[in-house]
């Protein structure tokens, strides 16, 4: 028996099994978390979720105002974040592709992409909530927009740079001014990439809790006023899960299930869509 | 206004402003330059102003966040001086605020997270690039990346209701019995098995960080030149020897960059740790005891902070967190930028 060969083969076996176990480890936790959310969430599902407001302790109720508030703030974040992110992405990909400013912006943008979201929430608190002297859905939407912007900047920059230069040359050869080339030719050529980026950003901000804690706060009642505290799903889940009441726990699980299904479905849909496009 | 290069070819991929208006046909130069003025039109100038402004805005956001946290925390820094970082006293009633417990908790949970996530992520990357059947690689990679898509509040709820009781019942008694009396590391693992605490939070964080490190590691493992891999195979190297002697040395800086990226995420993660950390303000060596972290302290206490100094102390914590994550993420970006360049992805 060749001892050296045996030892090398043993090390290889161990590495093989270790790598397989590591993958199993990751998958087990994914399915454990998803299974818990589904099992607990499904048993708490009922029609009242989408017809009634968040209840006081001990009473029955739903999450209608929280769903509404979350939708409003995500839409607000899209309305603020997409144009800003797309413009900055256009600068990076078109006007300033090789400038120092673009290099600096890309660097800073990648840091903002991973920056702690709770700090961005505090920033919006100082920027909006303190001067206005009250929490508001507006501030919540702005905080989410600050998280969305870097995602859109990054993806639109990348999508625009994938457009072949031939299209730019053809458009300029037709005598189009630069802004029309960008708006009418390049944006439509890069549209699927840009939309993918925005949707991935939405999947990210839909579940963000930390930046809403001190901006939108929460609201137990129905409110459509953007200038007042606004109910929202993540903060409701947080408060209800931390509470000692069983009815609130059940509602938190139902909300968690809705949130998880929304986020994962959006993620998978975007991935399938992007992959099909890239194979063509 | 327009330069006459007389060439259609973009000069070496660079499209400077001058190339924009370059004429295809010198004969029609006059007519063309009159209609298409790269810098001239009002709409064009406005468009450039808006896109350039948005780019500056991204820079401005970072600076504004840093300035806002520094000025908001100024009162706490001025009141407690350097002691803010070294004091363990967090006494709301008497207005004494020291950040050491939260800083220690943040560093400790992140360290545990990395201890778990780094080997697991490299194992996953190895499995997905060398071992798994080709048809299964895509779906497994997507599943691992979905770990990053699950909202952190879901991790928090699962941690509080499922994982913490699991730890209390099955893991922590064992840890306490077998590691609690060990010579050097004993104090770390000696404590009541209550499930809520630094160890549980660190493990949950580790699971959250895995997809970030694994996806970068998988990408750079795939980018190792075929010649290197084939040379190792030709010399008779086993899979483990290929990983240890070829792949890892070749991808070292990218792997370190990915680890820093994961560390940056772990340091700033809020909701997941808030649920399972227990919000205690006592410094303890035991990983089984409830603790605190910077992000969790802010999330738990900020809306209840009723004095100017209290609020300022929490914002000062946020400043420290932002400063540290900025440095960690910058290092990650620098390490990864070098790899991206060597992989030929200059953009």
């Amino acid at each position: 028996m060749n001892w050296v060969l045996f030892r090398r083969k043993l090390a290889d076996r161990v590495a093989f099994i270790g790598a397989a176990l590591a993958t199993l480890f990751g998958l087990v936790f994914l399915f454990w978390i998803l299974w818990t959310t589904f099992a607990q969430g499904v048993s708490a599902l009922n029609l009242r979720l989408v017809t009634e407001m968040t209840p006081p302790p001990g009473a029955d109720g739903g999450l209608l105002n929280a769903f509404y508030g979350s939708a409003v703030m995500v839409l607000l974040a899209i309305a603020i974040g997409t144009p800003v992110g797309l413009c900055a992405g256009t600068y990076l990909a078109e006007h300033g592709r090789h400038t120092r400013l673009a290099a600096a912006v890309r660097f800073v943008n990648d840091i903002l992409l991973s920056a702690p979201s709770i700090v961005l929430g505090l920033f919006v608190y100082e920027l909006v909530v303190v001067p206005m002297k009250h929490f508001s859905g507006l501030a919540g939407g702005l905080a989410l927009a600050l998280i969305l912007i870097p995602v859109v900047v990054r993806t639109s920059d990348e999508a625009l740079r994938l457009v072949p230069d031939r299209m730019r040359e053809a458009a300029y050869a037709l005598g189009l001014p630069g802004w029309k080339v960008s708006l009418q030719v390049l944006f439509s050529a890069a549209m699927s990439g840009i939309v993918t980026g925005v949707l991935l950003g939405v999947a990210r901000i839909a579940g963000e809790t930390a930046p809403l804690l001190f901006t939108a706060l929460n609201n137990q009642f129905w409110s459509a006023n953007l200038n007042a505290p606004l109910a929202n799903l993540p903060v409701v889940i947080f408060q209800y899960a931390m509470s000692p009441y069983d009815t609130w726990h059940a509602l938190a699980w139902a909300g968690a299930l809705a949130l998880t299904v929304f986020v994962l479905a959006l993620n998978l849909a975007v991935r399938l869509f992007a992959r099909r496009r890239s194979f063509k | 206004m327009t330069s006459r290069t007389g060439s259609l070819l973009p000069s070496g991929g660079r499209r400077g402003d001058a190339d924009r208006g370059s004429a295809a046909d010198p004969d029609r130069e006059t007519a063309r330059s009159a209609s298409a003025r790269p810098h001239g039109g009002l709409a064009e100038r406005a468009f450039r102003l808006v896109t350039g402004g948005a780019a500056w805005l991204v820079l401005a956001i970072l600076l504004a966040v840093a300035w806002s946290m520094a000025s908001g925390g100024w009162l706490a820094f001025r009141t407690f001086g350097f002691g803010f970082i070294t004091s363990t006293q967090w006494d709301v009633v008497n207005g004494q605020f020291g950040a050491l417990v939260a800083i220690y908790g943040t560093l400790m949970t992140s360290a545990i997270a990395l201890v778990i996530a780094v080997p697991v992520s490299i194992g996953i990357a190895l499995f997905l690039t060398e071992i798994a059947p080709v048809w299964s690689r895509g779906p497994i990679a997507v599943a691992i990346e979905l770990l990053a898509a699950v909202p952190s509040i879901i991790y928090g709820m699962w941690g509080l209701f499922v994982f913490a009781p699991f730890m209390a019942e099955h893991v922590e008694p064992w840890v306490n019995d077998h590691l609690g009396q060990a010579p050097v590391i004993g104090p770390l693992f000696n404590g009541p098995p209550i499930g809520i605490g630094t160890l549980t939070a660190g493990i949950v964080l580790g699971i959250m960080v895995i997809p970030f490190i694994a996806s970068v590691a998988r990408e750079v493992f795939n980018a190792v030149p075929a010649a290197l891999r084939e040379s190792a195979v030709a010399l008779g190297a086993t899979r483990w020897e290929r990983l240890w002697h070829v792949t890892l040395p070749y991808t070292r800086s990218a792997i370190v960059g990915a680890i820093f990226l994961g560390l940056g995420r772990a340091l700033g993660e809020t909701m997941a740790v808030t649920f399972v950390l227990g919000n205690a303000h006592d410094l303890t060596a035991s990983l089984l005891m409830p603790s605190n972290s910077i992000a969790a302290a802010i999330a738990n206490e900020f809306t209840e902070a009723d004095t100017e100094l209290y609020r300022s102390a929490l914002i000062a914590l946020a400043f420290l967190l932002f400063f540290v994550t900025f440095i960690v993420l910058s290092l990650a970006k620098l390490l990864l930028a070098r790899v991206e360049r060597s992989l030929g992805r200059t953009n």
Side-chain angles (χ1 to χ4, degrees):
Chain A
M1 184 75 201
N2 186 334
W3 171 243
V4 175
L5 188 65
F6 175 74
R7 213 191 55 203
R8 289 178 57 205
K9 281 195 167 164
L10 187 72
D12 189 53
R13 274 289 121 171
V14 170
F16 183 109
I17 294 166
L21 284 179
T23 311
L24 196 66
F25 181 84
L27 294 179
V28 160
F29 279 108
L30 176 69
F31 288 111
W32 192 0
I33 291 165
L34 293 184
W35 168 249
T36 305
T37 313
F38 275 85
Q40 302 273 2
V42 165
S43 63
L45 281 184
N46 58 50
L47 204 62
R48 282 202 302 273
L49 280 182
V50 289
T51 56
E52 290 180 24
M53 306 301 149
T54 47
D60 284 330
L63 295 166
L64 180 61
N65 49 344
F67 285 128
Y68 172 80
S70 270
V72 166
M73 278 191 283
V74 168
L75 288 177
L76 190 64
I78 296 174
I80 302 169
T82 308
V84 173
L86 190 54
C87 282
T90 308
Y91 178 83
L92 295 181
E94 302 296 323
H95 300 150
R97 194 186 285 197
H98 298 283
T99 58
R100 283 213 186 127
L101 173 62
V105 170
R106 284 200 188 101
F107 188 87
V108 164
N109 190 65
D110 278 5
I111 286 174
L112 285 177
L113 209 54
S114 309
S117 58
I118 193 161
V119 177
L120 295 177
L122 272 185
F123 170 61
V124 174
Y125 174 86
E126 293 269 290
L127 189 75
V128 179
V129 177
V130 170
M132 285 172 64
K133 298 196 173 61
H134 57 81
F135 300 99
S136 66
L138 206 63
L142 189 63
L144 293 183
L146 284 182
I147 299 166
L148 183 65
I149 286 172
V151 181
V152 179
V153 171
R154 172 87 183 250
T155 49
S156 58
D157 176 23
E158 276 170 6
L160 283 170
R161 273 183 296 163
L162 283 175
V163 178
D165 279 350
R166 243 172 301 155
M167 293 190 70
R168 294 187 178 85
E169 285 161 3
Y172 283 117
L174 289 172
L176 282 180
W179 63 276
K180 273 196 176 170
V181 174
S182 283
L183 290 182
Q184 295 180 355
V185 180
L186 302 179
F187 280 5
S188 55
M191 187 52 79
S192 75
I194 295 168
V195 171
T196 301
V198 174
L199 290 181
L200 281 178
V202 169
R204 165 120 192 254
I205 61 174
E208 280 288 355
T209 316
L212 297 178
L213 288 172
F214 349 104
T215 52
L217 200 67
N218 196 0
N219 193 334
Q220 201 196 323
F221 307 103
W222 174 266
S223 164
N225 186 0
L226 271 181
N227 205 14
L230 194 58
N232 60 88
L233 198 49
V235 176
V236 168
I237 294 175
F238 178 50
Q239 289 184 349
Y240 282 17
M242 292 294 233
S243 77
Y245 311 110
D246 282 343
T247 49
W248 276 16
H249 287 173
L251 272 177
W253 279 115
L257 177 63
L259 191 60
T260 310
V261 167
F262 174 75
V263 168
L264 291 191
L266 195 56
N267 249 289
L268 286 173
V270 166
R271 273 165 206 275
L272 285 176
F273 175 70
R275 185 175 299 169
R276 221 185 50 221
R277 294 287 300 220
S278 67
F279 274 149
K280 274 184 186 164
Chain B
M1 271 209 283
T2 55
S3 69
R4 273 190 61 185
T5 58
S7 161
L8 243 179
L9 295 168
S11 45
R14 274 192 66 122
R15 294 188 334 287
D17 287 342
D19 293 333
R20 272 289 153 80
S22 67
D25 184 353
D27 291 342
R28 282 196 259 157
E29 168 72 8
T30 344
R32 205 203 53 80
S33 69
S35 66
R37 290 164 302 180
H39 293 296
L42 193 64
E44 176 66 11
R45 242 188 270 179
F47 186 62
R48 276 167 183 264
L49 204 67
V50 169
T51 59
W56 279 105
L57 184 66
V58 173
L59 290 185
I61 289 173
L62 185 91
L63 293 178
V65 173
W67 188 82
S68 161
M69 294 303 112
S71 67
W74 181 242
L75 179 63
F77 284 129
R78 206 185 44 199
T79 310
F80 304 113
F82 198 66
F84 183 68
I85 302 179
T86 55
S87 162
T88 61
Q89 203 181 19
W90 188 270
D91 188 343
V92 175
V93 181
N94 295 317
Q96 287 297 315
F97 299 103
L100 189 62
V101 176
I103 294 172
Y104 175 79
T106 296
L107 295 179
M108 208 60 202
T109 50
S110 300
I112 297 171
L114 287 188
V115 165
I116 292 166
V118 170
V120 169
S121 304
I122 290 176
I124 291 173
L126 180 68
F127 186 76
L128 287 176
T129 51
E130 298 274 350
I131 298 168
V134 175
W135 56 266
S136 70
R137 291 179 186 181
I140 294 177
V142 169
I144 295 293
E145 276 171 31
L146 281 186
L147 273 176
V150 173
S152 62
I153 187 156
I154 308 294
Y155 278 93
M157 276 189 83
W158 170 80
L160 178 66
F161 289 113
V162 179
F163 193 58
F166 174 83
M167 289 289 289
E169 213 165 302
H170 300 291
V171 180
E172 291 184 352
W174 186 90
V175 164
N176 203 354
D177 289 346
H178 290 82
L179 299 173
Q181 309 306 325
V184 182
I185 55 168
L188 286 177
F189 297 104
N190 203 342
I194 47 177
I196 301 284
T198 313
L199 185 63
T200 308
I203 295 174
V204 174
L205 264 187
I207 300 163
M208 298 184 74
V209 165
I210 285 171
F212 293 101
I213 305 179
S215 75
V216 177
R218 184 173 70 100
E219 226 171 276
V220 294
F221 281 10
N222 268 329
V224 173
L228 278 180
R229 186 190 303 230
E230 284 160 11
S231 311
V233 175
L235 288 171
T238 63
R239 265 179 304 231
W240 168 250
E241 287 162 346
R242 271 206 320 266
L243 174 77
W244 193 249
H245 296 296
V246 179
T247 308
L248 279 182
Y250 186 79
T251 57
R252 190 186 298 131
S253 71
I255 298 294
V256 176
I259 293 170
F260 274 111
L261 193 66
L263 178 61
R265 289 275 176 172
L267 290 170
E269 175 50 47
T270 310
M271 298 322 294
V273 289
T274 305
F275 272 98
V276 292
L277 210 39
N279 198 28
H281 278 293
D282 311 302
L283 191 67
T284 152
S286 172
L287 300 180
L288 307 187
M289 292 287 279
S291 172
N292 216 329
S293 85
I294 293 178
I298 300 169
N300 272 322
E301 298 177 34
F302 192 75
T303 42
E304 291 156 21
D306 43 7
T307 65
E308 197 68 20
L309 189 61
Y310 193 2
R311 212 170 300 138
S312 177
L314 288 167
I315 297 177
L317 277 179
F319 176 77
L320 293 177
L321 179 64
F322 192 66
F323 184 71
V324 173
T325 48
F326 177 81
I327 291 173
V328 168
L329 292 170
S330 297
L331 283 172
K333 180 81 181 116
L334 289 174
L335 285 161
L336 288 170
R338 211 168 63 203
V339 183
E340 281 173 1
R341 218 172 298 141
S342 69
L343 292 178
R345 297 189 313 181
T346 36
N347 30 35

